[in-house]
């Protein structure tokens, strides 16, 4: 049975003040919650007290579950709980990633859930089909229902990050990222998008998504800004209820958690959008009032809609990690706000609590996390948690509460009656991925999300009968226009064939121009043989996801002016330029705006690039088919130094205020904007070539064996280069890569710079090449560090004997003075490869950072002593 899609015309837009009014009313509901009973666990297993991070429940809205009481369901939960062994109970509170959990593991350990992380797919193939996903879901389900050995049959949950559509699946509909949807100001559109996403999830046998994100980003340097709908709580509060209802169905109705819907997760509780300097997994140094009214604005409406899962945040509040904050997770969320679903942790976040590790953390359970996301550490975590329950460090009462909440949600979702995923409605129906109705909805969302910042002389809308040149590296790149969380976690390393049902912005423009009798030409570098009437230049940020996307300032590509030079060259040739800017946040682009005749903030539109063409072009009759309706949901910075910048915060006003957005017929002329960035852009150059699980933007990783170089764009790529590369965890999820030398003879890895690097000054200043690494196999004596400086120019320093003396299997920084390479013959003023390692078969290293600096745990000598 397919879901009913309501006509867009029948969905009236709600005014923002309704959301604001609801939020205010929620804050004054009800009396004071009763004090919690004293916990039974030792104080050592609880996070130490911190009064600035201790919430006061009486200050928060008093709510209760919107779901009608169901005594029969609660009786079923109690009866099942009474039959479960302690081992089965512990299994229910553990979640592993499909890359590390087999169906046999689920059968043995009775795990309650599995997830598919951003880089995890059936068979480790990101192009896995709907049928392969369903088959994997069946295998896990069958294992969970195996009653051999007297076990209870308890269906497991299968979760995934479907954050802008079912974004892990090739061919699925990719909706605009949340920042664009915030500009649309259309809650009913969000309800329809959520419902369509649920249908596509069900087609692949999945029943749970880690969405919606209810963060309120307050510093655009945060790499997850695009996951937030707005800097303003009123939009987040407005959207939370329709999003949850679109995913789950309406509470207390027949649609609630029906076969066309999935379990939703409100995340990340709480404060992830308010961290100091916009640092991912950072610290929100804010008052409790701001935590409640700003960062918590989306939670009362989400709870009112019956959201069944809440994900705890990686971040801290005033120095205390959220995974260990009992006052918020238990006293506020569960007791004061009446949440009766379950709290799920984030990726190994429990290991960041003081006194905890990824595999051992009673404090997180005691604080109120019910299901721990332990993707690759699940077995160790299971074993220690079982011991802590048996010893009383985690009370049976607390364990039973966590399991009760998980079982309650599973029963509400009908999983005990649903049968194998392949037998459920919609399962395996690959036609639902990229369903034409869903794509039409996504195209509408693109149209509504576009924000017009400049329209000098009314150059827009364009005549489709004209000669239109489409340029820029984002013009025909669906991966770039879709951003992070697209097929892979960071959204990198993709190609056109990965998007069989999608349309690039170039393709959308060309289709409409040619249909009207005009001429459309694609030229990424802006060169042409026949002079066009107008140029549309599509450019912007390259894809990124959490923590890899954190930046030091809101300057757009501070040391790369290629896009600006392209626009200026076209203008100098007398060609009007319409700039279409792809980004996951507002950025300082005053120079690019000045150089363009029109400037459109297109955000990250997803798979339906035709929606951009719908608004930029007139129809065949010369009329406006679709006007701009988007309004900024984030303030736009006046300088590269202006961060944070938010509505109502005072100080220097933004360049474009929250709510700004032009329409056709309005005066779109702008006086020249100030091009002073407000800081030294050259100082923003990163000193890291590799960090946070990826090479620096513009850089490449080269693997070479027997003189046959290949380039790797992401961990897991398979090349016959003598070295395998896989992602591993160091300080965060997959922030390091493991290199294993497999082939006989010498093989090497090299970090190739986008242009020659001059490190002569650093070399004279005794700067070091620094690598954070873990030595996992004794390095061969011939292992060497090297740099390259052009044809037949290099410097090689043997370090194998020194590395062999360092501790194995522990993270440490290892450095070599840059002057060692100069002594070995390298031209340090023109480095094409500032860092490389060559070794022999059998060597294995994990590396999380490569760059230059002045401090290291172990500084190697230029020549082995």
């Amino acid at each position: 049975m397919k879901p009913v899609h309501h006509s867009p015309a029948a969905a009236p837009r709600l005014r923002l003040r309704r959301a604001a009014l609801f939020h205010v009313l929620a804050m004054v509901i009800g009396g004071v919650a009763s004090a919690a009973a004293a916990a039974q666990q030792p104080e050592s297993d609880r996070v130490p007290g911190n009064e600035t991070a201790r919430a006061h429940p009486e200050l928060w809205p008093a709510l209760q579950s919107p779901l009608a009481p169901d005594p029969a369901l609660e009786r079923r939960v109690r009866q099942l709980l009474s039959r479960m062994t302690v081992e089965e109970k512990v299994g229910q509170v553990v979640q592993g990633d499909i890359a590390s959990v087999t169906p046999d593991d689920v059968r043995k350990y009775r795990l309650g859930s599995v997830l598919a992380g951003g880089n995890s797919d059936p068979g480790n193939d990101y192009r896995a089909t709907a049928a392969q996903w369903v088959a994997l879901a069946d295998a896990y389900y069958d294992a969970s229902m195996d009653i051999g050995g007297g076990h209870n049959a308890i269906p497991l949950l299968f979760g995934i990050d479907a954050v802008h559509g079912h974004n892990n699946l090739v061919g699925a509909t990719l909706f605009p990222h949340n920042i664009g949807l915030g500009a649309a100001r259309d809650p009913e559109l969000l309800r329809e998008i959520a419902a369509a996403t649920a249908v596509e999830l069900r087609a692949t046998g999945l029943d749970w998504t880690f969405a919606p994100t209810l963060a309120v980003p307050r510093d655009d340097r945060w790499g997850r800004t695009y996951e937030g709908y707005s800097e303003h709580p009123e939009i987040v509060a407005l959207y939370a209820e329709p999003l949850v209802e679109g995913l789950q169905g309406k509470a207390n109705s027949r649609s609630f958690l029906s076969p066309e819907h999935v379990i939703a997760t409100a995340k990340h509780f709480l404060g992830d959008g308010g961290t100091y300097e916009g640092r991912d997994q950072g610290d929100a140094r804010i008052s409790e009032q701001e935590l409640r009214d700003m960062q918590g604005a989306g939670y009362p409406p989400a709870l009112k809609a019956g959201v069944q899962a809440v994900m705890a945040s990686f971040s801290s509040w005033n120095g205390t990690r959220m995974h260990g904050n009992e006052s918020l997770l238990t006293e506020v969320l569960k007791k004061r706000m009446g949440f009766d679903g379950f709290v799920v942790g984030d990726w190994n976040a429990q290991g960041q609590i003081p006194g905890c590790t990824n595999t051992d953390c009673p404090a997180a359970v005691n604080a109120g996390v019910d299901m721990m996301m332990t993707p690759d550490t699940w077995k160790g975590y299971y074993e220690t948690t079982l011991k802590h329950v048996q010893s009383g460090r985690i009370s049976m009462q607390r364990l039973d509460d966590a399991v009760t909440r998980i079982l309650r949600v599973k029963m509400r979702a009908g999983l005990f009656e649903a049968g194998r995923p392949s037998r459920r409605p919609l399962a395996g129906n690959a036609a639902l991925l990229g369903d034409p109705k869903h794509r039409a909805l996504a195209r509408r969302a693109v149209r509504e999300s576009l924000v017009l910042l400049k329209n000098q002389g009314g150059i827009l809308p364009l005549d489709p009968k004209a000669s239109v040149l489409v340029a820029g590296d984002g013009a025909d790149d669906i991966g770039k226009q879709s951003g992070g969380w697209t097929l892979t976690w960071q959204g990198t390393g993709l190609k056109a064939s990965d998007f069989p049902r999608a349309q690039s912005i170039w393709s959308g423009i060309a289709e409409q121009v040619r249909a009207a009798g005009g001429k459309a030409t694609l030229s990424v570098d802006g060169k042409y043989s026949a002079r066009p009437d107008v140029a549309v230049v599509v450019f912007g940020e390259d894809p990124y996801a959490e923590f890899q996307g954190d930046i030091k300032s809101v300057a757009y590509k501070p040391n790369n002016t290629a896009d600006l030079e392209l626009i200026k060259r076209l203008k100098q040739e007398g060609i009007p330029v319409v700039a279409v800017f792809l980004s996951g946040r507002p950025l300082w682009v005053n120079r690019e705006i000045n150089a363009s005749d029109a400037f459109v903030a297109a955000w990250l539109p997803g798979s339906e690039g035709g929606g951009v063409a719908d608004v930029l072009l007139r129809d065949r009759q010369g009329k406006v088919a679709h006007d701009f309706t988007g309004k900024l949901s984030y303030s736009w910075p006046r300088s590269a130094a202006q961060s944070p910048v938010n509505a109502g915060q005072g100080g220097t006003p933004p360049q474009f205020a929250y709510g700004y957005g032009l329409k056709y017929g309005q005066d779109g002329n702008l006086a020249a904007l100030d091009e002073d960035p407000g800081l030294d852009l050259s100082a923003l150059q990163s000193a890291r070539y590799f960090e946070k699980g990826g090479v620096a933007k513009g850089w490449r990783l080269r693997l070479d064996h027997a003189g046959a170089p290949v380039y790797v764009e992401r961990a897991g790529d398979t090349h016959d280069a003598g070295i395998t590369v896989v992602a591993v965890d160091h300080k965060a999820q997959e922030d390091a890569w493991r290199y294993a030398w497999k082939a006989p003879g010498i093989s090497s890895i090299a970090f190739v710079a986008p242009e020659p690097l001059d490190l002569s000054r650093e070399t004279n200043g005794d700067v070091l090449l620094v690598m954070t690494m873990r030595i996992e196999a004794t390095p061969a004596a011939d292992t060497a560090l090297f740099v390259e400086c052009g044809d037949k120019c290099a410097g090689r320093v043997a370090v194998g004997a020194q590395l062999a003396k360092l501790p194995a299997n522990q993270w440490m920084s290892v450095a070599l003075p840059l002057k060692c390479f100069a002594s070995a013959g390298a031209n340090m003023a023109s480095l094409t490869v500032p860092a490389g390692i060559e070794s022999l078969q059998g060597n294995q290293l994990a590396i999380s950072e490569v760059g230059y600096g002045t401090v290291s745990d172990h500084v190697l000598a230029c020549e082995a002593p």
Side-chain angles (χ1 to χ4, degrees):
M1 174 178 163
K2 294 184 178 180
V4 176
H5 293 274
H6 300 287
S7 166
R13 298 191 179 203
L14 304 181
R15 293 190 178 275
L16 293 177
R17 61 172 176 260
R18 291 181 58 186
L21 178 60
F22 169 79
H23 182 59
V24 171
L25 290 174
M27 293 304 163
V28 297
I29 294 175
V32 177
S34 61
Q40 300 299 312
Q41 293 76 29
E43 192 64 30
S44 61
D45 292 329
R46 317 186 81 81
V47 174
N50 176 357
E51 287 305 316
T52 63
R54 190 185 304 278
H56 299 80
E58 67 274 12
L59 302 179
W60 294 71
L63 307 172
Q64 62 183 17
S65 172
L67 298 173
D70 189 340
L73 183 148
E74 296 299 326
R75 185 164 53 251
R76 285 179 64 197
V77 170
R78 290 194 299 272
Q79 290 173 347
L80 176 54
L81 189 70
S82 70
R83 299 194 301 269
M84 295 173 66
T85 65
V86 65
E87 290 82 4
E88 287 178 314
K89 292 177 180 179
V90 171
Q92 285 297 301
V93 303
V94 178
Q95 181 184 60
D97 185 86
I98 64 173
S100 302
V101 175
T102 67
D104 283 342
D105 290 329
V106 171
R107 183 176 289 106
K108 178 178 179 179
Y109 293 93
R110 317 309 294 177
L111 301 186
S113 172
V114 294
L115 80 149
N119 286 332
S120 299
D121 307 277
N124 197 31
D125 179 8
Y126 76 96
R127 295 184 62 85
T129 64
Q132 289 173 294
W133 279 91
V134 172
L136 182 63
D138 272 354
Y140 283 128
Y141 173 85
D142 291 345
S144 71
M145 301 299 284
D146 188 339
I147 59 174
H151 288 302
N152 289 287
I154 304 175
L156 90 170
L157 285 168
F158 197 163
I160 197 168
D161 288 275
V163 296
H164 65 130
H166 195 3
N167 41 257
N168 268 43
L169 270 290
V170 169
T173 309
L174 298 174
F175 295 95
H177 269 295
N178 294 348
I179 189 170
L181 298 178
R185 304 293 208 282
D186 189 345
E188 291 308 310
L189 170 67
L190 272 292
R191 187 189 306 275
E192 294 180 62
I193 287 173
T197 300
V199 166
E200 297 201 15
L201 280 165
R202 284 296 197 177
T204 53
L206 299 171
D207 42 38
W208 180 17
T209 176
F210 307 131
T213 297
L214 300 179
V216 182
R218 300 292 286 175
D219 193 317
D220 300 334
R221 291 172 291 184
W222 188 32
R224 303 190 78 158
T225 296
Y226 65 79
E227 295 187 51
Y229 297 98
S230 177
E231 70 184 33
H232 204 298
E234 65 182 355
I235 293 180
V236 178
L238 178 70
Y239 279 179
E241 184 174 336
L243 281 164
V244 171
E245 290 185 347
L247 288 167
Q248 294 190 163
K250 192 170 182 62
N252 298 311
S253 76
R254 296 183 63 182
S255 71
F256 185 68
L257 295 178
S258 68
E260 295 81 25
H261 293 91
V262 296
I263 294 166
T265 309
K267 68 179 189 183
H268 304 86
F269 192 87
L270 188 61
D272 52 334
T275 61
Y276 176 66
E277 294 184 342
R279 296 176 185 175
D280 193 53
Q281 304 180 18
D283 186 26
R285 303 172 185 177
I286 57 179
S287 68
E288 184 172 0
Q289 179 181 355
E290 184 175 347
L291 185 71
R292 179 195 66 193
D293 298 351
M294 181 70 68
Q295 297 300 319
Y299 287 89
L303 295 171
K304 177 184 176 184
V307 69
Q308 291 297 286
V310 170
M311 183 178 288
S313 178
F314 258 116
S315 59
S316 303
W317 175 44
N318 290 331
T320 296
R321 288 288 177 188
M322 280 303 312
H323 274 63
N325 196 317
E326 184 177 6
S327 70
L328 283 167
L329 294 177
T330 297
E331 301 302 321
V332 169
L333 177 63
K334 293 179 177 179
K335 295 182 179 180
R336 178 68 173 178
M337 300 176 76
F339 176 59
D340 65 359
F342 66 86
V343 174
V344 62
D346 207 341
W347 189 283
N348 278 332
Q350 72 281 353
Q352 297 184 0
I353 297 175
C356 287
T357 68
N358 289 350
T359 57
D360 190 351
C361 192
V365 180
N366 293 336
V369 180
D370 302 305
M371 179 186 289
M372 211 68 65
M373 186 184 289
T374 50
D376 53 354
T377 57
W378 62 269
K379 187 177 294 185
Y381 178 80
Y382 170 91
E383 292 169 348
T384 60
T385 301
L386 179 60
K387 291 178 181 178
H388 293 323
V389 173
Q390 292 169 336
S391 70
R393 293 182 68 182
I394 297 174
S395 72
M396 186 60 70
Q397 180 182 10
R398 172 68 193 103
L399 179 63
D400 283 351
D401 172 60
V403 177
T404 294
R405 290 170 175 276
I406 294 167
L407 295 179
R408 178 184 294 131
V409 172
K410 289 183 176 183
M411 290 184 183
R412 282 174 174 170
L415 294 184
F416 285 82
E417 298 77 33
R420 301 182 85 208
S422 60
R423 296 175 184 170
R424 300 172 191 173
L426 310 184
N429 187 348
L432 293 175
L433 296 175
D435 183 305
K437 295 189 296 296
H438 300 167
R439 289 189 59 194
L441 179 65
R443 187 163 178 159
R444 170 188 155 204
V446 174
R447 291 195 297 263
E448 293 190 22
S449 69
L450 303 176
V451 179
L452 181 60
L453 300 182
K454 178 182 180 181
N455 193 16
Q456 208 79 5
I459 185 176
L460 291 175
L462 300 177
D463 181 359
K465 298 178 181 179
S467 174
V468 181
L469 174 71
V470 183
D473 63 2
D476 196 30
D477 189 334
I478 298 171
K480 181 160 183 161
Q481 74 188 40
S482 298
W485 289 109
T486 299
L487 301 186
T488 64
W489 177 34
Q490 296 291 322
T492 56
L494 304 174
K495 48 189 180 297
S497 60
D498 294 329
F499 302 96
R501 298 187 177 119
Q503 186 176 48
S504 70
I505 294 173
W506 146 251
S507 179
I509 292 174
E511 181 179 74
Q512 295 188 41
V513 168
R514 290 167 181 170
K519 179 182 179 182
T521 303
L522 175 65
S523 174
V524 171
D525 63 7
K527 296 179 180 178
Y528 51 85
S529 55
R531 182 184 181 83
D533 296 316
V534 65
V536 177
V537 178
V538 186
F539 66 102
E541 290 189 291
D542 296 318
Y544 55 83
E546 56 191 288
F547 80 84
Q548 287 198 30
D550 288 1
I551 54 178
K552 296 179 180 178
S553 86
V554 290
Y556 170 64
K557 292 187 177 180
N559 294 291
N560 184 342
T561 59
D563 299 316
L564 177 60
E565 291 165 2
L566 170 59
I567 295 170
K568 284 185 172 181
R569 176 167 56 81
L570 290 167
K571 283 290 292 179
Q572 288 168 358
E573 293 167 0
I575 300 170
V577 174
V578 175
V580 176
F581 187 51
L582 303 173
S583 74
R585 51 194 152 206
L587 291 169
W588 184 73
V589 283
N590 283 13
R591 297 173 298 181
E592 290 81 0
I593 293 174
N594 283 342
S596 307
D597 294 282
F599 197 94
V600 177
W603 314 113
L604 299 169
S607 62
E608 306 310 311
V612 176
D614 290 343
V615 182
L616 294 187
L617 299 168
R618 297 180 183 272
D619 64 18
R620 299 185 197 183
Q621 287 72 44
K623 298 179 181 179
V624 173
H626 299 281
D627 201 347
F628 283 92
T629 59
K631 305 294 181 184
L632 291 180
S633 58
Y634 289 81
S635 305
W636 201 279
R638 182 173 294 272
S639 77
Q642 193 179 19
S643 187
V645 53
N646 297 292
Q649 75 177 31
T652 303
Q655 188 66 67
F656 301 103
Y658 169 85
Y660 179 88
L662 297 168
K663 298 176 71 70
Y664 289 141
Q666 292 181 324
D667 182 4
N669 293 326
L670 283 182
L673 305 181
D674 187 354
E675 296 192 4
D676 180 0
L679 49 76
D680 181 3
L681 297 181
S682 64
L684 297 175
Q685 182 174 347
S686 175
R688 294 286 180 268
Y689 317 141
F690 178 92
E691 63 179 347
K692 299 179 180 179
V695 293
K697 291 180 180 179
W699 289 65
R700 296 184 296 168
L701 176 65
R702 187 187 74 207
L703 306 183
D704 195 321
H705 175 65
V710 295
Y711 291 89
V712 173
E713 295 182 336
R714 62 174 180 268
D717 278 358
T718 301
H719 293 290
D720 185 17
I723 300 174
T724 61
V725 185
V726 297
V728 295
D729 291 356
H730 176 205
K731 295 180 179 179
Q733 177 187 349
E734 298 185 357
D735 64 340
W737 290 3
R738 174 185 291 129
Y739 303 87
W741 278 255
K742 298 292 188 180
I746 294 178
S747 302
S748 66
I749 65 173
F751 297 91
V752 182
E755 56 188 19
L757 203 63
D758 182 358
L759 294 183
S760 56
R761 184 172 62 178
E762 288 81 358
T763 301
N764 293 335
D766 290 331
V767 171
L768 310 169
L769 169 64
V770 183
M771 296 185 177
T772 302
M773 65 170 62
R774 182 173 63 196
I775 299 172
E776 299 180 347
T778 302
D782 286 344
T783 299
L785 297 178
F786 67 90
V787 298
E788 295 177 3
C789 38
D791 188 34
K792 298 181 180 179
C793 178
R796 178 185 180 277
V797 180
V799 296
Q802 297 182 76
L803 292 177
K805 296 178 181 179
L806 297 180
N809 295 310
Q810 73 178 48
W811 288 102
M812 58 191 165
S813 64
V814 179
L816 184 70
L818 294 180
K819 63 185 179 184
C820 296
F821 299 116
S823 299
N827 176 7
M828 303 302 289
S830 185
L831 295 180
T832 54
V833 173
I837 306 174
E838 64 179 31
S839 193
L840 299 174
Q841 184 179 28
N843 191 21
Q844 184 165 297
L845 299 171
I847 299 176
S848 66
E849 289 185 345
V850 181
Y852 58 86
T854 57
V855 178
S856 176
D857 299 328
H858 303 279
V859 179
L860 307 178
C862 295
E863 296 182 8

